Every structure is written in structure tokens, then in C-alpha cells.
Amino acid sequence: MTQDELKAAVADKAIREIEPWLEKDTVLGIGTGSTANLFIDRLKPLRDQFRGAVASSEASAQRLKSLGIDVFDLNSVGTLPFYIDGADEVNANLQMIKGGGAALTREKIVAACAERFICIADQSKYVSQLGNFPLPIEVIPMARSYVARQLVGLGVEPVYRQGVVTDNGNQIIDCYEFMIDDPLAMEARINAIVGVVTSGLFAERGADVLLLGNQEGVERITTS
């Protein structure tokens, strides 16, 4: 199967994963990116079976609304039964690098409010060690240079993602040449740098379920 076919297969599997649990008052957490978009599209036939969704980006919110799915502010909802999103990299512990689409902060917030995080990804995203994909870090604009200097001290090659402004009005630094031995410790260390909004390391709040598309089909991986 092609990569697009693998993405479609995991989106289909994610629908089957959540459909039995949908109720009239269910509000889903929905992520951002190409695989998440395929999942959103597959929600349209089910839109009368659940209340609506919280989106991790303006782009996902617009896509949901275009399909007739109500979008809610997270503050008005609270806890979500499911958060469904892709990953740029994911390891065997279901820790991830996310944020290639610059939505990492909202993705992390929505994931934190979810009882169950379902990651949907194709086999190219499954790695033994996080770090081949550049780690995104969202920063307050006035702190960008300061944060970059602190990252250099961690052995990182920081690159300002020019022309990108997040939905929160902030900027992105991408960290290259940065293989991560201890994702939990590194997430805490980067997040402690003054001026960092958050990093794209999802280690403290990793996925609960990984639906991984490969040439044999879709593998369901959990941490338990």
C-alpha cells in the first residue's frame, strides 16, 4: 500500500475504535495534519451520533464545521473521552514528536484533557529513537533568540521556522541533529526554559493506543 492508503486505513480503524462509544453528548478531541484530516472526513456519516468536537487548530475546526460538525471551546467542555491525532514520530513507549504543522501547544492541551489518546500513523512514523524529525518548540516571539541560545547549550541546532505564526500568535524553533535518549527528562528540561510555551515532545502525556498502518494492515499497539 502507498503511504496515503496506509493513512486512510488507520483513519478507518480509528472510526471503528471509537464508534461503539459515541453518545449524543460525546465531544471528541480532534488533532491536526494529513492523517487527522482523513479521520475528520470519515466522521461526517456519524455526525448525528455525537455532540461535536474540540479542535487542536483553526484549520481542523474549519474542516469539521464544513462537514456540519459542531466545534466547541475546550473551556466549555472539560474532559474529553477521546483525542485522535497523528504524529511526526512515535516510539514503542507511545511517546511522540508532534508539531510539524505548528499546532503543538493546542494539541498538547487537548491531549491533556482526554481520557484516551489514540494516535493514528503510518509505519514511516514508527521509530526506535525520537529525534530524526526536527523537534518543534513554540516560543514567545521576544524570547526566540534567548531560547535558541539555551538550546544550543543542549547540543541542539535550532532553526527559526520563518514565516510561521502559530494560532496562539507565537513562533516556532525547530531542533535539528537532536536524538533524544530520555524523552521524559528532555521534555521537562526544554519546557523549563523561560520563553518556551511548550515543546513538541509528547512524553509526559503520550498516546494510550497507537493504530499503526503497515503493509500487513493496521496494528493496534498499547503501552499496557
Side-chain angles (χ1 to χ4, degrees):
M1 290 192 287
T2 66
Q3 187 176 35
D4 287 344
E5 289 171 335
L6 293 175
K7 290 180 179 181
V10 297
D12 289 334
K13 180 69 172 178
I15 290 291
R16 295 194 295 273
E17 181 91 9
I18 67 163
E19 187 172 8
W21 305 99
L22 295 180
E23 298 179 351
K24 288 295 185 180
D25 62 348
T26 298
V27 178
L28 299 170
I30 304 295
T32 300
S34 58
T35 310
N37 283 342
L38 293 171
F39 175 79
I40 291 171
D41 294 342
R42 284 156 173 75
L43 282 175
K44 183 176 181 180
L46 307 179
R47 63 187 178 188
D48 294 330
Q49 297 182 35
F50 64 103
R51 185 181 174 202
V54 170
S56 67
S57 67
E58 295 300 327
S60 290
Q62 290 305 315
R63 196 177 191 96
L64 287 159
K65 291 174 183 177
S66 73
L67 298 176
I69 297 170
D70 290 335
V71 176
F72 296 91
D73 183 282
L74 183 60
N75 290 310
S76 69
V77 177
T79 302
L80 305 163
F82 296 104
Y83 177 55
I84 303 95
D85 199 2
D88 297 304
E89 285 187 342
V90 57
N91 66 17
N93 294 320
L94 306 196
Q95 300 165 326
M96 296 160 284
I97 286 180
K98 294 173 52 56
L104 58 158
T105 298
R106 295 193 183 189
E107 289 172 346
K108 191 169 280 192
I109 292 169
V110 180
C113 293
E115 295 175 351
R116 200 157 183 79
F117 183 169
I118 301 172
C119 178
I120 49 178
D122 66 86
Q123 60 188 359
S124 70
K125 308 297 174 61
Y126 195 58
V127 299
S128 59
Q129 184 179 15
L130 300 176
N132 275 315
F133 188 92
L135 175 66
I137 298 175
E138 183 165 345
V139 299
I140 301 296
M142 70 175 291
R144 189 185 75 236
S145 294
Y146 170 78
V147 172
R149 292 194 298 273
Q150 299 304 304
L151 292 170
V152 169
L154 296 178
V156 177
E157 181 185 333
V159 177
Y160 168 42
R161 196 185 298 183
Q162 296 190 31
V164 173
V165 177
T166 71
D167 288 343
N168 310 308
N170 297 316
Q171 297 174 343
I172 297 289
I173 294 174
D174 291 310
C175 299
Y176 289 81
E177 305 298 326
F178 190 38
M179 301 306 294
I180 301 164
D181 294 322
D182 187 341
L184 272 170
M186 188 54 67
E187 180 178 10
R189 190 168 181 181
I190 293 173
N191 286 345
I193 298 172
V194 175
V196 168
V197 179
T198 197
S199 77
L201 267 174
F202 282 61
E204 180 67 32
R205 192 355 173 178
D208 299 296
V209 177
L210 170 61
L211 301 178
L212 186 69
N214 54 46
Q215 295 304 317
E216 286 71 48
V218 178
E219 184 179 1
R220 188 180 189 274
I221 303 170
T222 65
T223 52
S224 58

